[in-house]
């Protein structure tokens, strides 16, 4: 589970910044509080799989598995 959390945290932050988005903007797009998104990026918690799929779709343009 730690590998999943680390993977999500690292990719989310890198690709969010590459897409010039703030944590608040991304959080609003997926329907969570920005503090929740911050916890995911800081590897404190991990997003539910359905939300992770939504984030990947937004940030990767639907091309990431």
């Amino acid at each position: 589970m730690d590998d999943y959390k680390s993977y999500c945290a690292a990719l989310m932050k890198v690709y969010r910044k590459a897409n010039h988005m703030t944590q608040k903007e991304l959080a609003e797009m997926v329907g969570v509080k920005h503090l929740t998104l911050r916890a995911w990026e800081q590897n404190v918690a991990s997003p539910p799989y359905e939300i992770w799929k939504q984030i990947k779709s937004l940030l990767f343009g639907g091309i990431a598995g």
Side-chain angles (χ1 to χ4, degrees):
M1 187 62 150
D2 286 338
D3 290 340
Y4 172 72
K5 279 177 32 179
S6 297
Y7 172 77
C8 290
L11 284 182
M12 200 177 319
K13 188 172 186 175
V14 167
Y15 283 95
R16 176 183 57 78
K17 287 186 175 195
N19 284 280
H20 309 287
M21 296 176 70
T22 65
Q23 288 178 338
K24 185 175 180 179
E25 290 170 332
L26 181 56
E28 288 174 356
M29 292 177 83
V30 296
V32 299
K33 295 180 180 182
H34 77 278
L35 296 174
T36 300
L37 191 94
R38 182 189 316 168
W40 296 340
E41 284 191 0
Q42 293 177 346
N43 202 16
V44 173
S46 57
Y49 183 70
E50 289 302 316
I51 292 179
W52 174 237
K53 285 185 356 186
Q54 185 180 3
I55 291 169
K56 285 194 322 182
S57 178
L58 290 168
L59 298 181
F60 303 117
I63 59 171

